[in-house]
Amino acid sequence: MSGNVNRQILLVEKPSGKLGPEHFKMVEGTVPAPNDGEALLRVRYISLDAANRAWMHGATYRSAVEANSVMAGGAIAEVVSSKAEGLAAGDIVFGDTGWQEFAAVPAKHLTKMPKLEPMTHLLSVFGIAGLTAYFGLLEIGKPREGETVVVSAAAGSVGSIVGQIARIKGCRVIGIAGGADKCNWLTSELGFDAAVDYKDGAVFKALRAAAPEGIDVYFDNVGGNILEACLPQMNNYGRIACCGAISQYDGAPSAHGPRGVPGLIVVKRLVMQGFIVMDYMKESQRALAELQGWVRSGRLKVQEDIIDGLENTPKALIGLLAGENRGKRMVRL
């Protein structure tokens, strides 16, 4: 390490509206010394996710991020030194390091990762994004061959993998994304059968044209108006996997929740279930084996969006919330 300096990015103020660069500040701290049971980590790649913004609102499946604290975030990191059994210098781990160059983290909160290249795949297809797509679609959506699967935020880290897995399972796949370029990428590069540009403002009509026989499985990453457009087009006994609600995270949410709840859920006998990927981690090896096989065979394409420099992390998250990225966005330190 260079001296004993640890560059960190703090969340200096919780935003009441849109997230902006003024809500963050870079500071220089001291590289921490690990206590018993901890490992000192050098952060290599920081994961950027819409959930980063949700944590600023309050406690979710994790505690809230407080003002004037190191911004929370998961990362792939290398062990520099260890006072924990089972971890040694040079090991690669995943954990909530926060947005900083070095972190001392209890070993019980770290997951030891395999050494593979590119290392970035440990954050994308073989990391939380890939596992979220796999379990959310297959365990909750339960797609069957020949069914129609719709996924929102389809050009993002999770959605782009969901759509490809659904294609592998023999489904007709429709992605919802922002902009003609993203929609073209989904159909021409990732093999989606159709794509709907929500920025056109006519999502319901476009979905009806793309899925004239209705929707059997909807993988929801956004909530809000797009969920509302999908609900009446669900087939009887359809399944909805609720992964996230990006439309509610940054800025003012829509004035009303999705209309048709619970009426449409009752009439169409829908199953609508939220999930957190950590619920399925005991089965992760099974999922990873299948994901790795699909990547090796070329059936599953990996798209990564890598930004260089800790100082660019706030801008990179703000851009992700605005839909700049294709695939998994991360920051390389």
Side-chain angles (χ1 to χ4, degrees), residues 292-312:
Q292 288 165 353
W294 291 333
V295 171
R296 278 195 304 270
S297 68
R299 300 179 76 190
L300 179 55
K301 296 181 180 179
V302 183
Q303 179 74 20
E304 296 172 338
D305 182 13
I306 302 171
I307 310 295
D308 282 312
L310 179 67
E311 66 278 5
N312 292 318

Side-chain angles (χ1 to χ4, degrees), residues 138-181:
L138 300 183
E139 297 297 325
I140 297 174
K142 301 184 185 303
R144 295 183 284 270
E145 185 175 357
E147 289 189 324
T148 295
V149 174
V150 171
V151 55
S152 54
S157 60
V158 173
S160 60
I161 298 174
V162 168
Q164 292 185 82
I165 296 175
R167 285 287 294 150
I168 289 169
K169 295 298 181 179
C171 297
R172 174 174 168 77
V173 181
I174 301 164
I176 304 173
D181 287 345

Side-chain angles (χ1 to χ4, degrees), residues 25-138:
K25 178 174 70 174
M26 178 175 281
V27 299
E28 290 187 353
T30 302
V31 175
N35 296 317
D36 289 342
E38 293 184 337
L40 173 62
L41 310 177
R42 182 198 300 268
V43 178
R44 300 286 299 276
Y45 292 92
I46 294 173
S47 176
L48 293 179
D49 305 280
N52 291 132
R53 180 66 179 91
W55 300 338
M56 300 175 195
H57 289 292
T60 55
Y61 51 85
R62 55 151 295 147
S63 57
V65 182
E66 300 299 336
N68 294 308
S69 65
V70 175
M71 179 58 200
I76 293 295
E78 182 178 352
V79 176
V80 176
S81 61
S82 174
K83 288 188 176 180
E85 186 177 349
L87 288 177
D91 285 345
I92 302 299
V93 296
F94 174 81
D96 189 348
T97 63
W99 291 7
Q100 55 187 336
E101 293 177 319
F102 296 93
V105 180
K108 64 183 180 180
H109 295 154
L110 299 172
T111 301
K112 192 171 179 179
M113 306 297 284
K115 292 184 178 179
L116 58 78
E117 292 297 336
M119 186 184 293
T120 52
H121 281 19
L122 296 174
L123 277 185
S124 61
V125 67
F126 304 143
I128 296 299
L131 293 173
T132 298
Y134 182 95
F135 288 118
L137 178 66
L138 300 183

Side-chain angles (χ1 to χ4, degrees), residues 194-219:
V196 170
D197 181 2
Y198 72 82
K199 291 185 177 180
D200 275 351
V203 174
F204 183 90
K205 184 177 179 180
L207 268 177
R208 178 71 76 192
E213 297 182 3
I215 302 167
D216 298 296
V217 179
Y218 173 47
F219 193 103

